[in-house]
Amino acid sequence: MQNIMLKRAYEQPSDKDGTRILVDGMWPRGVSKQQAHIDLWLKELAPSKELRKWFGHDPDKWSEFQTRYFQELKTHPEAVSTLIDQVNKGPVTLIYAAKDTEHNNALALKKYLQS
């Protein structure tokens, strides 16, 4: 699954993005639907509210966050399957809103799909 890219919702869309999939539970603040160019919104792939609050983008909790998040993803096989189908069709860009580009659910989701 080499054709998975990541991009913040606040970055300019590109022709190279392929299918743009929002993987957050809430729409990114201050971004219109026209600006976002989202092809698919898979809310089910977002971490639970409880997990998000617990993690709080604390790098010290990153490893445990991934473990917990991967467990949550197993409870949404249909959404994971939908994402895998999209990846198999061609390039996919996972869109997320977090400021932290090294510790976010899109990065963890990409890792999950590649394992």
Side-chain angles (χ1 to χ4, degrees):
M1 298 210 179
Q2 299 301 318
N3 55 347
I4 302 172
M5 298 163 285
L6 305 175
K7 190 176 264 191
R8 287 191 73 225
Y10 306 98
E11 295 177 52
Q12 266 313 92
S14 162
D15 293 340
K16 297 176 185 175
D17 290 346
T19 303
R20 292 172 55 87
I21 302 174
L22 180 61
V23 294
D24 284 349
M26 298 183 306
W27 190 265
R29 257 184 214 170
V31 178
S32 71
K33 293 192 192 253
Q34 289 82 7
Q35 291 171 311
H37 295 277
I38 299 298
D39 298 304
L40 182 60
W41 187 5
L42 292 174
K43 293 179 195 177
E44 303 86 1
L45 296 180
S48 67
K49 186 176 179 181
E50 296 77 22
L51 181 56
R52 237 181 348 99
K53 285 186 173 189
W54 170 83
F55 175 47
H57 295 282
D58 180 348
D60 293 337
K61 294 180 178 177
W62 177 238
S63 180
E64 180 63 20
F65 167 78
Q66 291 178 91
T67 301
R68 293 181 186 193
Y69 181 43
F70 293 171
Q71 288 299 332
E72 286 187 358
L73 288 171
K74 290 177 185 176
T75 67
H76 299 287
E78 301 88 10
V80 172
S81 180
T82 298
L83 180 54
I84 290 170
D85 289 346
Q86 290 296 319
V87 170
N88 288 334
K89 289 179 188 174
V92 164
T93 299
L94 302 180
I95 306 297
Y96 65 97
K99 290 179 185 172
D100 188 338
T101 58
E102 295 179 27
H103 308 97
N104 62 67
N105 65 300
L107 186 61
L109 180 56
K110 179 178 178 178
K111 184 177 176 181
Y112 179 81
L113 293 172
Q114 292 176 329
S115 63

